[in-house]
Amino acid sequence: MRRTSSIETLFPEGQDRIQHMRGRARDLWTGDALSDSRVLSEDEVRIQSSDDRIIMAAEIDGLDAETTSRLVGLRAGGQLRGANADLNPGMKEGGTPLHLLLDDMAVATLVAGWVWSQWWDPANGEMESRHKMEGVCIGFHPGSDALTDDGRPRVAIQNYGDVPPMGNPDDPIGWHAEIPDPSIVSSMRSRFLDVWKTQNGLHVEAGFQDSGTVPGGGRRAVHEYRVHLTADPETLEITSLTADPRILPYKECPAAVHNVQKLVGTRLPELRSNVVQHLKGTLGCTHLNDVLRGLADANYLLKAL
């Protein structure tokens, strides 16, 4: 089973204005041959969010307008995730593509604006972050070189990496349909989650990337992780877990991967709650935690497998 998802954020009115977000996700089952493969589920979410992350409008395929309207006025973050849990009971133990998209919107609204650092005109001086982040994660621990004296991220020293499109032209069904426009300011949060069985047990691999367009074309990423775990197929208990940081903004960020071993022994359906419990604050990385929480969806995919 393979789940892929993406949330594209556009800024048609410019920086610090309304964010137009379009999320897509798909579950694909693959057999021994490409001809055996089939799509089991697809979902799409469209949200408009204010600069301070208040949801102003929402459309969700498959949900009526009255249900969707319950999201309007909520702040993306804890409020949105709480509403998602109400709309989708049982999500913590593994959910559908729609569950993932709504859960991911909570942080995507916060991260999307980083793309303006790639389009910033140096003639306007040094770009500054408005948000105080001290203590939020391991990269922003008190005293970190990533922070200014008043606790804001140092945008000027962030690391980035040029990245290719997520889809592989030699594997046309490996990624869901998306057609980002490389000429406009936009960010993209992309994920994949693979689940398969061998004689040695259950395997789960996940990839995660926050990228954006850059002047002149192409894409650049600020976050990228790859995570792999094995689990007992009967008990769903995690037997091994590794995290590979590919691209991260600050030199302090990769230290979070050393703490993922705290989750070995956890059952897959319990990951969403256990990640928050064991890797909170400066023990974890906000974006690595999002990857690890999402591994709970392997439980849902396993049932389809």
Side-chain angles (χ1 to χ4, degrees):
M1 286 291 300
R2 162 165 282 195
R3 171 172 292 178
T4 56
S5 70
S6 61
I7 297 177
E8 184 179 25
T9 303
L10 308 176
F11 300 85
E13 300 174 24
Q15 187 180 6
D16 299 333
R17 295 294 186 268
I18 296 175
Q19 304 180 46
H20 293 251
M21 312 181 77
R22 183 174 186 174
R24 292 175 171 174
R26 184 196 71 180
D27 286 350
L28 180 75
W29 177 87
T30 63
D32 294 331
L34 287 179
S35 58
D36 295 332
S37 303
R38 59 181 181 268
V39 174
L40 300 187
S41 181
E42 287 185 285
D43 285 299
E44 183 169 319
V45 176
R46 294 168 296 281
I47 283 179
Q48 293 181 27
S49 169
S50 67
D51 180 47
D52 54 357
R53 303 173 67 206
I54 302 298
I55 297 174
M56 303 175 65
E59 295 179 79
I60 301 175
D61 289 357
L63 290 185
D64 59 75
E66 181 179 354
T67 301
T68 305
S69 67
R70 293 163 55 184
L71 303 180
V72 176
L74 299 180
R75 191 171 191 273
Q79 288 186 343
L80 177 57
R81 282 180 167 167
N84 189 21
D86 290 339
L87 290 173
N88 305 296
M91 180 194 68
K92 286 186 177 181
E93 290 74 37
T96 67
L98 173 58
H99 303 167
L100 171 64
L101 288 175
L102 289 176
D103 185 80
D104 222 10
M105 287 281 182
V107 178
T109 54
L110 177 64
V111 175
W114 80 270
V115 70
W116 287 99
S117 66
Q118 307 304 301
W119 294 76
W120 187 256
D121 185 349
N124 295 328
E126 183 177 321
M127 186 174 182
E128 297 181 353
S129 174
R130 295 180 306 155
H131 303 286
K132 292 187 177 182
M133 303 294 284
E134 186 176 33
V136 169
C137 61
I138 201 165
F140 294 140
H141 65 81
S144 169
D145 290 340
L147 294 170
T148 62
D149 292 341
D150 62 353
R152 303 175 193 275
R154 296 185 185 275
V155 179
I157 66 169
Q158 286 182 341
N159 301 308
Y160 307 106
D162 293 331
V163 293
M166 293 298 290
N168 181 353
D170 295 327
D171 182 14
I173 66 169
W175 196 260
H176 62 278
E178 61 177 23
I179 312 175
D181 186 341
S183 65
I184 61 176
V185 181
S186 66
S187 66
M188 182 78 77
R189 169 164 285 210
S190 305
R191 295 177 180 269
F192 74 82
L193 179 65
D194 289 345
V195 179
W196 71 99
K197 283 184 176 181
T198 70
Q199 292 181 341
N200 297 323
L202 177 66
H203 297 259
V204 180
E205 186 169 66
F208 169 93
Q209 184 189 89
D210 281 324
S211 68
T213 56
V214 294
R219 301 194 69 81
R220 194 164 291 154
V222 65
H223 304 123
E224 186 172 274
Y225 277 105
R226 187 71 57 84
V227 175
H228 182 268
L229 69 79
T230 58
D232 185 302
E234 301 300 327
T235 66
L236 302 184
E237 185 175 294
I238 298 172
T239 54
S240 69
L241 176 61
T242 58
D244 177 13
R246 302 293 182 89
I247 301 171
L248 292 171
Y250 300 107
K251 61 182 177 62
E252 292 87 352
C253 298
V257 303
H258 301 298
N259 294 327
V260 302
Q261 297 306 311
K262 296 176 182 290
L263 299 173
V264 173
T266 295
R267 295 179 64 251
L268 283 175
E270 300 165 355
L271 271 174
R272 287 194 186 276
S273 57
N274 281 9
V275 168
V276 176
Q277 177 183 350
H278 294 297
L279 299 178
K280 60 185 177 181
T282 56
L283 290 176
C285 163
T286 302
H287 311 290
L288 176 58
N289 283 6
D290 274 349
V291 181
L292 296 170
R293 291 175 67 255
L295 295 174
D297 288 348
N299 182 45
Y300 177 90
L301 296 177
L302 179 61
K303 297 174 182 177
L305 182 65

